[in-house]
Amino acid sequence: MKKILLIVFSLSFLSSCSNDKDFFVTKENALISCGGKSRIIENENEEIINTEVKDLIDGIGKYVEFTVVETDKKGGKYRIINCFPSEEPQDSIIKTIKTNYKLNN
């Protein structure tokens, strides 16, 4: 239910922000469009290992999915983060959608 609500909110937000035809989200400008690395990374031990630009369900807007990894002696933690970019990067919506922690065997 939360995902559906987030998608509906994001669609309305993106449609209001995406009227300018000069605003395009690509893999190359995704981090800048989302407000920079400091909005995605929580600490100095994390790194972004994957960035994907995806279409929203309606096909009108796009969002960015970041995979962030942090490792330590006990195992590794990863987070999947969705960013719904705006023309003003500080207004982009950042949402962690999945966190997992695996212990080393």
mmCIF file with all atom_site columns, all heavy atoms in Angstrom, residues 10-11 14 18 23-26 53-56 58-64 83-86:
data_model
loop_
_atom_site.group_PDB
_atom_site.id
_atom_site.type_symbol
_atom_site.label_atom_id
_atom_site.label_alt_id
_atom_site.label_comp_id
_atom_site.label_asym_id
_atom_site.label_entity_id
_atom_site.label_seq_id
_atom_site.pdbx_PDB_ins_code
_atom_site.Cartn_x
_atom_site.Cartn_y
_atom_site.Cartn_z
_atom_site.occupancy
_atom_site.B_iso_or_equiv
_atom_site.pdbx_formal_charge
_atom_site.auth_seq_id
_atom_site.auth_comp_id
_atom_site.auth_asym_id
_atom_site.auth_atom_id
_atom_site.pdbx_PDB_model_num
ATOM 1   N N   . SER A 1 10 ? 4.491  10.358 -6.369  1.00 0.00 ? 10 SER A N   1
ATOM 2   C CA  . SER A 1 10 ? 5.635  10.640 -7.236  1.00 0.00 ? 10 SER A CA  1
ATOM 3   C C   . SER A 1 10 ? 5.184  11.010 -8.640  1.00 0.00 ? 10 SER A C   1
ATOM 4   O O   . SER A 1 10 ? 5.755  11.902 -9.262  1.00 0.00 ? 10 SER A O   1
ATOM 5   C CB  . SER A 1 10 ? 6.561  9.436  -7.299  1.00 0.00 ? 10 SER A CB  1
ATOM 6   O OG  . SER A 1 10 ? 7.018  9.132  -6.013  1.00 0.00 ? 10 SER A OG  1
ATOM 7   N N   . LEU A 1 11 ? 4.179  10.308 -9.142  1.00 0.00 ? 11 LEU A N   1
ATOM 8   C CA  . LEU A 1 11 ? 3.666  10.619 -10.476 1.00 0.00 ? 11 LEU A CA  1
ATOM 9   C C   . LEU A 1 11 ? 3.137  12.041 -10.553 1.00 0.00 ? 11 LEU A C   1
ATOM 10  O O   . LEU A 1 11 ? 3.437  12.768 -11.493 1.00 0.00 ? 11 LEU A O   1
ATOM 11  C CB  . LEU A 1 11 ? 2.566  9.632  -10.877 1.00 0.00 ? 11 LEU A CB  1
ATOM 12  C CG  . LEU A 1 11 ? 3.005  8.211  -11.143 1.00 0.00 ? 11 LEU A CG  1
ATOM 13  C CD1 . LEU A 1 11 ? 1.782  7.327  -11.386 1.00 0.00 ? 11 LEU A CD1 1
ATOM 14  C CD2 . LEU A 1 11 ? 3.943  8.150  -12.318 1.00 0.00 ? 11 LEU A CD2 1
ATOM 15  N N   . LEU A 1 14 ? 6.209  14.381 -10.231 1.00 0.00 ? 14 LEU A N   1
ATOM 16  C CA  . LEU A 1 14 ? 7.022  14.399 -11.439 1.00 0.00 ? 14 LEU A CA  1
ATOM 17  C C   . LEU A 1 14 ? 6.309  15.046 -12.609 1.00 0.00 ? 14 LEU A C   1
ATOM 18  O O   . LEU A 1 14 ? 6.926  15.749 -13.403 1.00 0.00 ? 14 LEU A O   1
ATOM 19  C CB  . LEU A 1 14 ? 7.463  12.987 -11.817 1.00 0.00 ? 14 LEU A CB  1
ATOM 20  C CG  . LEU A 1 14 ? 8.534  12.379 -10.929 1.00 0.00 ? 14 LEU A CG  1
ATOM 21  C CD1 . LEU A 1 14 ? 8.767  10.927 -11.314 1.00 0.00 ? 14 LEU A CD1 1
ATOM 22  C CD2 . LEU A 1 14 ? 9.818  13.155 -11.016 1.00 0.00 ? 14 LEU A CD2 1
ATOM 23  N N   . SER A 1 18 ? 8.075  17.875 -14.607 1.00 0.00 ? 18 SER A N   1
ATOM 24  C CA  . SER A 1 18 ? 8.650  17.422 -15.865 1.00 0.00 ? 18 SER A CA  1
ATOM 25  C C   . SER A 1 18 ? 8.084  18.130 -17.085 1.00 0.00 ? 18 SER A C   1
ATOM 26  O O   . SER A 1 18 ? 8.244  17.662 -18.196 1.00 0.00 ? 18 SER A O   1
ATOM 27  C CB  . SER A 1 18 ? 8.420  15.913 -16.017 1.00 0.00 ? 18 SER A CB  1
ATOM 28  O OG  . SER A 1 18 ? 9.042  15.245 -14.963 1.00 0.00 ? 18 SER A OG  1
ATOM 29  N N   . PHE A 1 23 ? 14.649 19.073 -19.335 1.00 0.00 ? 23 PHE A N   1
ATOM 30  C CA  . PHE A 1 23 ? 15.025 18.318 -18.146 1.00 0.00 ? 23 PHE A CA  1
ATOM 31  C C   . PHE A 1 23 ? 14.948 16.821 -18.443 1.00 0.00 ? 23 PHE A C   1
ATOM 32  O O   . PHE A 1 23 ? 13.875 16.255 -18.568 1.00 0.00 ? 23 PHE A O   1
ATOM 33  C CB  . PHE A 1 23 ? 14.097 18.675 -16.975 1.00 0.00 ? 23 PHE A CB  1
ATOM 34  C CG  . PHE A 1 23 ? 14.418 17.941 -15.718 1.00 0.00 ? 23 PHE A CG  1
ATOM 35  C CD1 . PHE A 1 23 ? 15.615 18.145 -15.055 1.00 0.00 ? 23 PHE A CD1 1
ATOM 36  C CD2 . PHE A 1 23 ? 13.531 17.019 -15.187 1.00 0.00 ? 23 PHE A CD2 1
ATOM 37  C CE1 . PHE A 1 23 ? 15.919 17.464 -13.889 1.00 0.00 ? 23 PHE A CE1 1
ATOM 38  C CE2 . PHE A 1 23 ? 13.817 16.335 -14.024 1.00 0.00 ? 23 PHE A CE2 1
ATOM 39  C CZ  . PHE A 1 23 ? 15.014 16.565 -13.381 1.00 0.00 ? 23 PHE A CZ  1
ATOM 40  N N   . PHE A 1 24 ? 16.118 16.192 -18.568 1.00 0.00 ? 24 PHE A N   1
ATOM 41  C CA  . PHE A 1 24 ? 16.192 14.758 -18.845 1.00 0.00 ? 24 PHE A CA  1
ATOM 42  C C   . PHE A 1 24 ? 17.076 14.103 -17.793 1.00 0.00 ? 24 PHE A C   1
ATOM 43  O O   . PHE A 1 24 ? 18.147 14.605 -17.492 1.00 0.00 ? 24 PHE A O   1
ATOM 44  C CB  . PHE A 1 24 ? 16.805 14.483 -20.224 1.00 0.00 ? 24 PHE A CB  1
ATOM 45  C CG  . PHE A 1 24 ? 15.977 14.996 -21.357 1.00 0.00 ? 24 PHE A CG  1
ATOM 46  C CD1 . PHE A 1 24 ? 16.345 16.142 -22.037 1.00 0.00 ? 24 PHE A CD1 1
ATOM 47  C CD2 . PHE A 1 24 ? 14.827 14.334 -21.759 1.00 0.00 ? 24 PHE A CD2 1
ATOM 48  C CE1 . PHE A 1 24 ? 15.590 16.612 -23.085 1.00 0.00 ? 24 PHE A CE1 1
ATOM 49  C CE2 . PHE A 1 24 ? 14.056 14.797 -22.804 1.00 0.00 ? 24 PHE A CE2 1
ATOM 50  C CZ  . PHE A 1 24 ? 14.442 15.945 -23.477 1.00 0.00 ? 24 PHE A CZ  1
ATOM 51  N N   . VAL A 1 25 ? 16.628 12.990 -17.260 1.00 0.00 ? 25 VAL A N   1
ATOM 52  C CA  . VAL A 1 25 ? 17.433 12.235 -16.301 1.00 0.00 ? 25 VAL A CA  1
ATOM 53  C C   . VAL A 1 25 ? 18.117 11.115 -17.063 1.00 0.00 ? 25 VAL A C   1
ATOM 54  O O   . VAL A 1 25 ? 17.480 10.328 -17.742 1.00 0.00 ? 25 VAL A O   1
ATOM 55  C CB  . VAL A 1 25 ? 16.567 11.646 -15.175 1.00 0.00 ? 25 VAL A CB  1
ATOM 56  C CG1 . VAL A 1 25 ? 17.426 10.836 -14.225 1.00 0.00 ? 25 VAL A CG1 1
ATOM 57  C CG2 . VAL A 1 25 ? 15.845 12.737 -14.431 1.00 0.00 ? 25 VAL A CG2 1
ATOM 58  N N   . THR A 1 26 ? 19.437 11.069 -16.962 1.00 0.00 ? 26 THR A N   1
ATOM 59  C CA  . THR A 1 26 ? 20.227 10.007 -17.569 1.00 0.00 ? 26 THR A CA  1
ATOM 60  C C   . THR A 1 26 ? 21.102 9.396  -16.490 1.00 0.00 ? 26 THR A C   1
ATOM 61  O O   . THR A 1 26 ? 21.232 9.952  -15.390 1.00 0.00 ? 26 THR A O   1
ATOM 62  C CB  . THR A 1 26 ? 21.124 10.540 -18.701 1.00 0.00 ? 26 THR A CB  1
ATOM 63  O OG1 . THR A 1 26 ? 22.082 11.449 -18.131 1.00 0.00 ? 26 THR A OG1 1
ATOM 64  C CG2 . THR A 1 26 ? 20.320 11.251 -19.772 1.00 0.00 ? 26 THR A CG2 1
ATOM 65  N N   . VAL A 1 53 ? 18.440 4.236  -14.335 1.00 0.00 ? 53 VAL A N   1
ATOM 66  C CA  . VAL A 1 53 ? 17.307 5.122  -14.584 1.00 0.00 ? 53 VAL A CA  1
ATOM 67  C C   . VAL A 1 53 ? 16.173 4.243  -15.090 1.00 0.00 ? 53 VAL A C   1
ATOM 68  O O   . VAL A 1 53 ? 16.343 3.495  -16.046 1.00 0.00 ? 53 VAL A O   1
ATOM 69  C CB  . VAL A 1 53 ? 17.671 6.210  -15.619 1.00 0.00 ? 53 VAL A CB  1
ATOM 70  C CG1 . VAL A 1 53 ? 16.462 7.077  -15.909 1.00 0.00 ? 53 VAL A CG1 1
ATOM 71  C CG2 . VAL A 1 53 ? 18.842 7.050  -15.130 1.00 0.00 ? 53 VAL A CG2 1
ATOM 72  N N   . LYS A 1 54 ? 15.021 4.329  -14.413 1.00 0.00 ? 54 LYS A N   1
ATOM 73  C CA  . LYS A 1 54 ? 13.891 3.469  -14.747 1.00 0.00 ? 54 LYS A CA  1
ATOM 74  C C   . LYS A 1 54 ? 12.662 4.312  -15.050 1.00 0.00 ? 54 LYS A C   1
ATOM 75  O O   . LYS A 1 54 ? 12.522 5.425  -14.544 1.00 0.00 ? 54 LYS A O   1
ATOM 76  C CB  . LYS A 1 54 ? 13.586 2.510  -13.590 1.00 0.00 ? 54 LYS A CB  1
ATOM 77  C CG  . LYS A 1 54 ? 14.721 1.549  -13.303 1.00 0.00 ? 54 LYS A CG  1
ATOM 78  C CD  . LYS A 1 54 ? 14.324 0.572  -12.234 1.00 0.00 ? 54 LYS A CD  1
ATOM 79  C CE  . LYS A 1 54 ? 15.381 -0.511 -12.080 1.00 0.00 ? 54 LYS A CE  1
ATOM 80  N NZ  . LYS A 1 54 ? 14.946 -1.553 -11.160 1.00 0.00 ? 54 LYS A NZ  1
ATOM 81  N N   . ASP A 1 55 ? 11.762 3.737  -15.852 1.00 0.00 ? 55 ASP A N   1
ATOM 82  C CA  . ASP A 1 55 ? 10.493 4.390  -16.164 1.00 0.00 ? 55 ASP A CA  1
ATOM 83  C C   . ASP A 1 55 ? 9.488  4.119  -15.059 1.00 0.00 ? 55 ASP A C   1
ATOM 84  O O   . ASP A 1 55 ? 9.432  3.015  -14.509 1.00 0.00 ? 55 ASP A O   1
ATOM 85  C CB  . ASP A 1 55 ? 9.925  3.869  -17.485 1.00 0.00 ? 55 ASP A CB  1
ATOM 86  C CG  . ASP A 1 55 ? 10.758 4.291  -18.677 1.00 0.00 ? 55 ASP A CG  1
ATOM 87  O OD1 . ASP A 1 55 ? 11.276 5.424  -18.667 1.00 0.00 ? 55 ASP A OD1 1
ATOM 88  O OD2 . ASP A 1 55 ? 10.871 3.497  -19.630 1.00 0.00 ? 55 ASP A OD2 1
ATOM 89  N N   . LEU A 1 56 ? 8.678  5.114  -14.745 1.00 0.00 ? 56 LEU A N   1
ATOM 90  C CA  . LEU A 1 56 ? 7.573  4.907  -13.830 1.00 0.00 ? 56 LEU A CA  1
ATOM 91  C C   . LEU A 1 56 ? 6.527  4.038  -14.521 1.00 0.00 ? 56 LEU A C   1
ATOM 92  O O   . LEU A 1 56 ? 6.542  3.875  -15.739 1.00 0.00 ? 56 LEU A O   1
ATOM 93  C CB  . LEU A 1 56 ? 6.959  6.243  -13.415 1.00 0.00 ? 56 LEU A CB  1
ATOM 94  C CG  . LEU A 1 56 ? 7.832  7.102  -12.503 1.00 0.00 ? 56 LEU A CG  1
ATOM 95  C CD1 . LEU A 1 56 ? 7.216  8.484  -12.339 1.00 0.00 ? 56 LEU A CD1 1
ATOM 96  C CD2 . LEU A 1 56 ? 7.988  6.445  -11.145 1.00 0.00 ? 56 LEU A CD2 1
ATOM 97  N N   . ASP A 1 58 ? 3.517  4.488  -15.349 1.00 0.00 ? 58 ASP A N   1
ATOM 98  C CA  . ASP A 1 58 ? 2.721  5.127  -16.396 1.00 0.00 ? 58 ASP A CA  1
ATOM 99  C C   . ASP A 1 58 ? 3.529  5.445  -17.650 1.00 0.00 ? 58 ASP A C   1
ATOM 100 O O   . ASP A 1 58 ? 2.979  5.811  -18.669 1.00 0.00 ? 58 ASP A O   1
ATOM 101 C CB  . ASP A 1 58 ? 2.059  6.392  -15.869 1.00 0.00 ? 58 ASP A CB  1
ATOM 102 C CG  . ASP A 1 58 ? 3.058  7.491  -15.545 1.00 0.00 ? 58 ASP A CG  1
ATOM 103 O OD1 . ASP A 1 58 ? 4.281  7.266  -15.678 1.00 0.00 ? 58 ASP A OD1 1
ATOM 104 O OD2 . ASP A 1 58 ? 2.615  8.580  -15.148 1.00 0.00 ? 58 ASP A OD2 1
ATOM 105 N N   . GLY A 1 59 ? 4.854  5.306  -17.574 1.00 0.00 ? 59 GLY A N   1
ATOM 106 C CA  . GLY A 1 59 ? 5.708  5.562  -18.724 1.00 0.00 ? 59 GLY A CA  1
ATOM 107 C C   . GLY A 1 59 ? 5.981  7.029  -18.984 1.00 0.00 ? 59 GLY A C   1
ATOM 108 O O   . GLY A 1 59 ? 6.726  7.369  -19.896 1.00 0.00 ? 59 GLY A O   1
ATOM 109 N N   . ILE A 1 60 ? 5.398  7.922  -18.202 1.00 0.00 ? 60 ILE A N   1
ATOM 110 C CA  . ILE A 1 60 ? 5.577  9.355  -18.426 1.00 0.00 ? 60 ILE A CA  1
ATOM 111 C C   . ILE A 1 60 ? 6.850  9.861  -17.753 1.00 0.00 ? 60 ILE A C   1
ATOM 112 O O   . ILE A 1 60 ? 7.619  10.600 -18.338 1.00 0.00 ? 60 ILE A O   1
ATOM 113 C CB  . ILE A 1 60 ? 4.359  10.151 -17.919 1.00 0.00 ? 60 ILE A CB  1
ATOM 114 C CG1 . ILE A 1 60 ? 3.141  9.798  -18.756 1.00 0.00 ? 60 ILE A CG1 1
ATOM 115 C CG2 . ILE A 1 60 ? 4.626  11.649 -17.960 1.00 0.00 ? 60 ILE A CG2 1
ATOM 116 C CD1 . ILE A 1 60 ? 1.854  10.405 -18.248 1.00 0.00 ? 60 ILE A CD1 1
ATOM 117 N N   . GLY A 1 61 ? 7.082  9.479  -16.524 1.00 0.00 ? 61 GLY A N   1
ATOM 118 C CA  . GLY A 1 61 ? 8.218  9.969  -15.763 1.00 0.00 ? 61 GLY A CA  1
ATOM 119 C C   . GLY A 1 61 ? 9.294  8.924  -15.586 1.00 0.00 ? 61 GLY A C   1
ATOM 120 O O   . GLY A 1 61 ? 9.152  7.774  -15.998 1.00 0.00 ? 61 GLY A O   1
ATOM 121 N N   . LYS A 1 62 ? 10.379 9.335  -14.964 1.00 0.00 ? 62 LYS A N   1
ATOM 122 C CA  . LYS A 1 62 ? 11.492 8.440  -14.678 1.00 0.00 ? 62 LYS A CA  1
ATOM 123 C C   . LYS A 1 62 ? 11.908 8.613  -13.223 1.00 0.00 ? 62 LYS A C   1
ATOM 124 O O   . LYS A 1 62 ? 11.644 9.629  -12.605 1.00 0.00 ? 62 LYS A O   1
ATOM 125 C CB  . LYS A 1 62 ? 12.673 8.745  -15.586 1.00 0.00 ? 62 LYS A CB  1
ATOM 126 C CG  . LYS A 1 62 ? 12.398 8.468  -17.048 1.00 0.00 ? 62 LYS A CG  1
ATOM 127 C CD  . LYS A 1 62 ? 13.671 8.518  -17.842 1.00 0.00 ? 62 LYS A CD  1
ATOM 128 C CE  . LYS A 1 62 ? 13.437 8.223  -19.295 1.00 0.00 ? 62 LYS A CE  1
ATOM 129 N NZ  . LYS A 1 62 ? 13.068 6.870  -19.592 1.00 0.00 ? 62 LYS A NZ  1
ATOM 130 N N   . TYR A 1 63 ? 12.549 7.581  -12.708 1.00 0.00 ? 63 TYR A N   1
ATOM 131 C CA  . TYR A 1 63 ? 13.156 7.665  -11.393 1.00 0.00 ? 63 TYR A CA  1
ATOM 132 C C   . TYR A 1 63 ? 14.504 6.966  -11.458 1.00 0.00 ? 63 TYR A C   1
ATOM 133 O O   . TYR A 1 63 ? 14.822 6.267  -12.416 1.00 0.00 ? 63 TYR A O   1
ATOM 134 C CB  . TYR A 1 63 ? 12.259 7.075  -10.301 1.00 0.00 ? 63 TYR A CB  1
ATOM 135 C CG  . TYR A 1 63 ? 12.090 5.571  -10.344 1.00 0.00 ? 63 TYR A CG  1
ATOM 136 C CD1 . TYR A 1 63 ? 12.840 4.748  -9.522  1.00 0.00 ? 63 TYR A CD1 1
ATOM 137 C CD2 . TYR A 1 63 ? 11.164 4.971  -11.199 1.00 0.00 ? 63 TYR A CD2 1
ATOM 138 C CE1 . TYR A 1 63 ? 12.681 3.369  -9.544  1.00 0.00 ? 63 TYR A CE1 1
ATOM 139 C CE2 . TYR A 1 63 ? 10.994 3.603  -11.225 1.00 0.00 ? 63 TYR A CE2 1
ATOM 140 C CZ  . TYR A 1 63 ? 11.757 2.805  -10.399 1.00 0.00 ? 63 TYR A CZ  1
ATOM 141 O OH  . TYR A 1 63 ? 11.600 1.447  -10.429 1.00 0.00 ? 63 TYR A OH  1
ATOM 142 N N   . VAL A 1 64 ? 15.323 7.182  -10.446 1.00 0.00 ? 64 VAL A N   1
ATOM 143 C CA  . VAL A 1 64 ? 16.667 6.601  -10.408 1.00 0.00 ? 64 VAL A CA  1
ATOM 144 C C   . VAL A 1 64 ? 16.735 5.633  -9.233  1.00 0.00 ? 64 VAL A C   1
ATOM 145 O O   . VAL A 1 64 ? 16.280 5.947  -8.141  1.00 0.00 ? 64 VAL A O   1
ATOM 146 C CB  . VAL A 1 64 ? 17.742 7.692  -10.237 1.00 0.00 ? 64 VAL A CB  1
ATOM 147 C CG1 . VAL A 1 64 ? 19.138 7.077  -10.255 1.00 0.00 ? 64 VAL A CG1 1
ATOM 148 C CG2 . VAL A 1 64 ? 17.607 8.763  -11.306 1.00 0.00 ? 64 VAL A CG2 1
ATOM 149 N N   . CYS A 1 83 ? 15.210 7.552  -6.131  1.00 0.00 ? 83 CYS A N   1
ATOM 150 C CA  . CYS A 1 83 ? 15.211 9.004  -6.177  1.00 0.00 ? 83 CYS A CA  1
ATOM 151 C C   . CYS A 1 83 ? 14.247 9.433  -7.267  1.00 0.00 ? 83 CYS A C   1
ATOM 152 O O   . CYS A 1 83 ? 14.324 8.952  -8.395  1.00 0.00 ? 83 CYS A O   1
ATOM 153 C CB  . CYS A 1 83 ? 16.615 9.525  -6.466  1.00 0.00 ? 83 CYS A CB  1
ATOM 154 S SG  . CYS A 1 83 ? 16.629 11.287 -6.871  1.00 0.00 ? 83 CYS A SG  1
ATOM 155 N N   . PHE A 1 84 ? 13.368 10.340 -6.916  1.00 0.00 ? 84 PHE A N   1
ATOM 156 C CA  . PHE A 1 84 ? 12.450 10.924 -7.873  1.00 0.00 ? 84 PHE A CA  1
ATOM 157 C C   . PHE A 1 84 ? 12.947 12.350 -8.123  1.00 0.00 ? 84 PHE A C   1
ATOM 158 O O   . PHE A 1 84 ? 12.669 13.257 -7.333  1.00 0.00 ? 84 PHE A O   1
ATOM 159 C CB  . PHE A 1 84 ? 11.017 10.880 -7.325  1.00 0.00 ? 84 PHE A CB  1
ATOM 160 C CG  . PHE A 1 84 ? 10.580 9.471  -7.044  1.00 0.00 ? 84 PHE A CG  1
ATOM 161 C CD1 . PHE A 1 84 ? 10.763 8.912  -5.792  1.00 0.00 ? 84 PHE A CD1 1
ATOM 162 C CD2 . PHE A 1 84 ? 10.036 8.690  -8.039  1.00 0.00 ? 84 PHE A CD2 1
ATOM 163 C CE1 . PHE A 1 84 ? 10.383 7.599  -5.532  1.00 0.00 ? 84 PHE A CE1 1
ATOM 164 C CE2 . PHE A 1 84 ? 9.656  7.372  -7.791  1.00 0.00 ? 84 PHE A CE2 1
ATOM 165 C CZ  . PHE A 1 84 ? 9.830  6.837  -6.543  1.00 0.00 ? 84 PHE A CZ  1
ATOM 166 N N   . PRO A 1 85 ? 13.740 12.535 -9.192  1.00 0.00 ? 85 PRO A N   1
ATOM 167 C CA  . PRO A 1 85 ? 14.432 13.802 -9.402  1.00 0.00 ? 85 PRO A CA  1
ATOM 168 C C   . PRO A 1 85 ? 13.509 14.963 -9.746  1.00 0.00 ? 85 PRO A C   1
ATOM 169 O O   . PRO A 1 85 ? 12.418 14.780 -10.284 1.00 0.00 ? 85 PRO A O   1
ATOM 170 C CB  . PRO A 1 85 ? 15.389 13.509 -10.553 1.00 0.00 ? 85 PRO A CB  1
ATOM 171 C CG  . PRO A 1 85 ? 14.911 12.271 -11.176 1.00 0.00 ? 85 PRO A CG  1
ATOM 172 C CD  . PRO A 1 85 ? 14.033 11.562 -10.224 1.00 0.00 ? 85 PRO A CD  1
ATOM 173 N N   . SER A 1 86 ? 13.991 16.119 -9.422  1.00 0.00 ? 86 SER A N   1
ATOM 174 C CA  . SER A 1 86 ? 13.314 17.372 -9.719  1.00 0.00 ? 86 SER A CA  1
ATOM 175 C C   . SER A 1 86 ? 14.303 18.263 -10.454 1.00 0.00 ? 86 SER A C   1
ATOM 176 O O   . SER A 1 86 ? 15.517 18.045 -10.401 1.00 0.00 ? 86 SER A O   1
ATOM 177 C CB  . SER A 1 86 ? 12.875 18.021 -8.406  1.00 0.00 ? 86 SER A CB  1
ATOM 178 O OG  . SER A 1 86 ? 12.361 19.306 -8.635  1.00 0.00 ? 86 SER A OG  1
#
